[in-house]
């Protein structure tokens, strides 16, 4: 019998094997693979190529105090700001009719201003504590409406990649609400007119009609002359106005 070869494996005992405390789920952690990381658009969620760089923020076409540049827009924003706000929302979100935002603006903004004016006029007949509570509630409502209208302005800035001018959208509407409405309306009018102009295509006149003449026409000049006369009547070209 040959000599017994020694085993290459080492038998471990319980004392030699260290026990490790493993918490549940520790081994099921996700692994980040850079090759599988895909950049997506924040607006629509579509995947973007690696070479994509977000466009830089652009400046507004008109300033915040450029209300006099559009007289009709200025008068609408001054006397009927609810209508102008509804039009802005409808231009920004086509699926939203302008009547809903217009009614909400009329109730909270114009209604709040009317209530504040009535409280100031009848301050001598109303208890001072009650007047203070009414004005405090109106002040809080004004800031809440500024946040809501500021969200609309922020959506406009995201759509056209516009800068914060002159400051945060909510602060702009809280401090200069009427001027902000007119500026947003002018901006959307200018953007839409530019898009409509760039979308038009110029159609040139069609090329002249080419005909192949056979040798028979050379032999028979009468037939060739008659065919030329027919071509004068039938060979009409349409020109785009």
């Amino acid at each position: 019998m040959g000599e017994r070869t020694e085993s290459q494996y080492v038998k471990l005992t319980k004392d030699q094997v260290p026990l490790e405390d493993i918490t549940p789920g520790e081994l099921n952690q996700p692994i980040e693979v850079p090759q599988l990381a895909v950049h997506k658009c924040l607006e629509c969620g579509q995947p973007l190529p690696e070479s994509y760089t977000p466009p830089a923020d652009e400046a507004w076409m008109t300033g915040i105090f450029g209300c006099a540049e559009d007289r009709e827009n200025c008068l609408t924003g001054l006397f009927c700001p609810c209508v102008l706000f509804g039009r802005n929302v409808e231009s920004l979100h086509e699926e939203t009719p302008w009547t809903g935002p217009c009614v909400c603006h009329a109730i909270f903004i114009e209604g709040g201003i009317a209530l504040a004016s009535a409280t100031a006029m009848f301050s001598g007949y109303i208890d001072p504590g009650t007047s203070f509570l009414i004005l405090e509630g109106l002040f809080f409502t004004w800031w809440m409406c500024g946040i809501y209208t500021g969200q609309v302005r922020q959506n406009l800035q995201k759509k056209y990649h516009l800068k914060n001018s002159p400051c945060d959208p909510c602060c702009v509407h809280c401090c200069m609400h009427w001027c902000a409405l007119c500026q947003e309306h002018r901006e959307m009018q200018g953007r839409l007119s530019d898009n409509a102009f760039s979308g038009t295509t110029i159609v040139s006149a069609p090329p002249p009609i080419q005909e192949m003449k056979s040798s028979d026409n050379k032999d028979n000049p009468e037939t060739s002359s008659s065919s030329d006369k027919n071509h004068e009547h039938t060979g009409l070209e349409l020109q785009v106005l």
Side-chain angles (χ1 to χ4, degrees):
M1 298 295 292
E3 297 180 357
R4 181 181 296 177
T5 58
E6 297 181 358
S7 176
Q8 298 179 355
Y9 297 96
V10 179
K11 185 177 182 181
L12 299 178
T13 61
K14 294 182 178 180
D15 298 336
Q16 294 174 334
V17 179
L19 299 177
E20 297 181 359
D21 296 334
I22 300 177
T23 58
E26 183 179 358
L27 301 179
N28 297 328
Q29 297 297 327
I31 301 175
E32 295 183 1
V33 182
Q35 292 78 4
L36 299 180
V38 179
H39 299 282
K40 295 184 178 181
C41 178
L42 300 177
E43 298 294 332
C44 59
Q46 296 293 332
L48 301 174
E50 296 181 358
S51 59
Y52 172 79
T53 55
D57 292 337
E58 301 178 1
W60 291 72
M61 299 177 65
T62 57
I64 188 68
F65 297 112
C67 302
E69 298 180 7
D70 189 350
R71 183 179 179 182
E72 182 181 358
N73 176 27
C74 179
L75 295 177
T76 305
L78 180 61
F79 296 103
C80 299
C82 57
V83 176
L84 189 61
F85 177 72
R87 292 177 181 176
N88 293 346
V89 175
E90 186 179 26
S91 300
L92 188 61
H93 305 286
E94 297 180 355
E95 68 279 359
T96 304
W98 69 276
T99 54
C102 176
V103 172
C104 293
H105 190 282
I107 293 175
F108 292 100
I109 301 296
E110 283 84 342
I113 294 175
L115 182 59
S117 301
T119 304
M121 290 176 59
F122 298 99
S123 59
Y125 303 95
I126 303 176
D127 183 66
T130 305
S131 301
F132 177 78
L133 291 178
I134 293 175
L135 295 178
E136 185 178 5
L138 293 176
F139 184 77
F140 175 76
T141 305
W142 176 262
W143 280 102
M144 295 300 296
C145 293
I147 294 174
Y148 171 68
T149 53
Q151 291 294 327
V152 178
R153 184 180 179 90
Q154 188 175 8
N155 293 335
L156 176 64
Q157 294 181 192
K158 288 182 179 179
K159 183 176 181 179
Y160 297 114
H161 303 282
L162 300 174
K163 297 180 180 179
N164 288 339
S165 176
C167 57
D168 183 76
C170 296
C171 294
V172 172
H173 271 278
C174 288
C175 301
M176 297 173 288
H177 178 67
W178 285 264
C179 296
L181 289 179
C182 295
Q183 184 190 25
E184 294 164 9
H185 189 73
R186 293 193 306 272
E187 188 72 23
M188 282 186 282
Q189 279 187 335
R191 299 283 179 174
L192 293 176
S193 61
D194 291 345
N195 294 337
F197 179 77
S198 62
T200 57
T201 56
I202 301 176
V203 181
S204 59
I209 300 175
Q210 298 180 0
E211 295 182 355
M212 296 181 64
K213 297 182 179 180
S214 61
S215 59
D216 296 337
N217 293 336
K218 296 180 180 180
D219 299 335
N220 300 326
E222 296 179 357
T223 58
S224 62
S225 61
S226 62
S227 63
D228 293 339
K229 292 181 179 179
N230 294 333
H231 176 69
E232 291 178 358
H233 296 284
T234 58
L236 300 178
E237 297 179 359
L238 298 177
Q239 296 183 358
V240 181
L241 298 178

